[in-house]
Amino acid sequence: MDKIRIIGGTPLVGSIPISGAKNAALPLMTAALLTDEKLVLSNVPYLADIVTMANLLAQHGVSLSLPQGKGRSMSLDASNINNLTAPYEVVRTMRASVLVLGPLLARFGAAKVSLPGGCAIGTRPIDLHLKALEAMGAEIDLQDGYIHAKVASRLKGAVINFEKISVGATENILMAACLAEGKTVLHNAACEPEICDLAYCLQAMGAEIQGIGTDTITVTGVEALHGAHHTVIADRIEAGSFAAAAAITGGDVELLGARAEHMTAVIEKFEAAGISVSETARGLRVKCEGRIQGIDIMTAPYPGFPTDMQAQMMALLSVADGASMVTETIFENRYMHVPELTRMGANIVVHGSSAMIRGAGKLRGAEVMATDLRASVSLVIAALAAEGETLIHRVYHLDRGYERLEEKLGLCGANIERITSRQSIKTEAA
Ligand code: EPZ
């Protein structure tokens, strides 16, 4: 398994191109299943999760290309779907696979999708997805770890009241409703920018959707959707992650393509911590000259502070002056990065869903282990500011959500390199 070695202490200075949003690209790829015409997506990040989704769609019969060239475009053609099963060996590696359920059911009237199982950050049930599809007339049967879903004729529009705000459930039902008979109203819908991006693409494909960006989305089903060309929005979590890296090193970095309007809660917290964030013609500039101040953070559904930025902020606040309190309200086990940051000298104590962070002054390099996607990037952020060398194991977690991370950070002066498993075997053998 690859490792990443970082020697900390260099302020990051320069500019970093922000890639397309993973959490927009994944549902957009499943939207291709809703039509027999070609869907072309541009600005698709080249990530492990994108390849996993491509493999999943290909085994359904979608013909597609992986993101090509500078424009990172990929075309998807679902005119020859010949398999309605999403197998366990794929779904267990990437929970977003469950997003094929709504489109397959809506267009073909049947789907067999493995239950995703839990993951490092929580049990992550999909009861909200299934309840909503049943309300639309689907028969759902759970057997031997699979969801067996079918509908006699066509899904019917329904009024759906989500008990909890769920990004995935909103996306699954939004896509299913596009081809359902009649009107579907989603109440308490998630309104993340990635959901808006999906909705705009569905509209371009001929879907009739109102209320985009609000917690009440109304969809009037149509007979069929057609092809379209859609450009994926910039990744606000990647941008926030690199902003934290710039800040913790006392750097000055421009995040090319970052969109401030998608990051208001994150920008507010950066500014409260004494970090300057300003909009530029090309994106966002993050500059940290003085000391970082401790602040309190509570994660919440959009437009609140994103849970996907919690681990990164914890790394940043571990070198702040004073104490900070971080409360995770979305997932029940999203503190796997704490013991690893503690190995680097961070002073963090977890009480239930809250963590108290006392500024530890300087962090020290250490051998640490990535446990999940955002935990792994929080270790990179800490390592960039730590004294000495940090070796991060299991970086395959990182590759799921960050494209060319070492290259992007290296361009700004970071002392970072990837040690591929072949190299490390050679080193050990030497
Ligand atoms: C999406 O996951 C993102 N993934 C996650 O990003 C992100 O952390 C999460 O939304 C919250 O913003 C993608 O978009 C691919 P949820 P999702 O359904 O859809 C509970 C990353 O790092 N819930 O909004 O799975 C659930 O357990 C990843 O890029 C139910 O109880 O999240 C959680 O506590 C990590 N029943 C809460 O809702 C359900 O049926 C929010 O989950 C569904 C969810």
Side-chain angles (χ1 to χ4, degrees), residues 22-24 26-27 49 53 94-99 119 121-131 162-171 190 192 194-195 235-237 300-302 305-309 312 328-332 334 372-375 400-402:
K22 165 179 85 78
N23 291 349
L26 291 171
D49 273 8
M53 181 61 85
M94 186 184 64
R95 307 177 40 72
S97 307
V98 77
L99 293 174
C119 78
I121 62 177
T123 52
R124 302 185 71 185
I126 57 166
D127 55 310
L128 300 175
H129 302 236
L130 303 182
K131 258 173 80 177
F162 287 118
E163 288 155 45
K164 274 180 93 164
I165 294 176
S166 160
V167 170
T170 302
E171 291 167 341
E192 271 69 359
E194 294 76 26
I195 294 175
D235 193 321
R236 61 192 169 100
I237 304 301
Y302 192 86
F305 190 91
T307 174
D308 292 349
M309 273 295 298
Q312 299 90 313
E328 173 57 59
T329 68
I330 308 291
F331 291 110
E332 65 267 29
R334 203 166 196 175
D372 58 84
L373 170 56
R374 305 304 173 181
R400 295 190 54 175
Y402 292 89

Side-chain angles (χ1 to χ4, degrees), residues 201-355:
C201 178
L202 292 167
Q203 278 184 330
M205 294 167 71
E208 292 177 21
I209 304 171
Q210 277 88 36
I212 297 175
T214 75
D215 63 0
T216 303
I217 302 175
T218 303
V219 184
T220 305
V222 295
E223 284 302 313
L225 294 183
H226 51 72
H229 186 154
H230 181 82
T231 299
V232 180
I233 52 170
D235 193 321
R236 61 192 169 100
I237 304 301
E238 185 197 21
S241 306
F242 286 130
I248 201 170
T249 58
D252 182 353
V253 172
E254 188 175 20
L255 304 169
L256 307 180
R259 291 178 52 177
E261 71 271 25
H262 293 162
M263 302 172 67
T264 44
V266 172
I267 292 170
E268 264 164 38
K269 289 298 178 184
F270 271 79
E271 290 175 335
I275 297 149
S276 101
V277 183
S278 49
E279 269 193 270
T280 67
R282 300 193 298 175
L284 275 184
R285 183 178 177 188
V286 180
K287 201 169 152 63
C288 182
E289 283 154 330
R291 296 289 305 155
I292 296 164
Q293 303 307 314
I295 54 172
D296 293 345
I297 288 175
M298 182 175 280
T299 64
Y302 192 86
F305 190 91
T307 174
D308 292 349
M309 273 295 298
Q310 180 256 106
Q312 299 90 313
M313 289 308 277
M314 203 177 273
L316 178 62
L317 294 171
S318 60
V319 299
D321 283 347
S324 304
M325 172 79 87
V326 171
T327 303
E328 173 57 59
T329 68
I330 308 291
F331 291 110
E332 65 267 29
N333 186 33
R334 203 166 196 175
Y335 285 134
M336 309 275 279
H337 42 286
V338 170
E340 301 305 312
L341 290 171
T342 306
R343 289 177 52 72
M344 300 176 74
N347 180 348
I348 305 171
V349 178
V350 175
H351 292 291
S353 63
S354 290

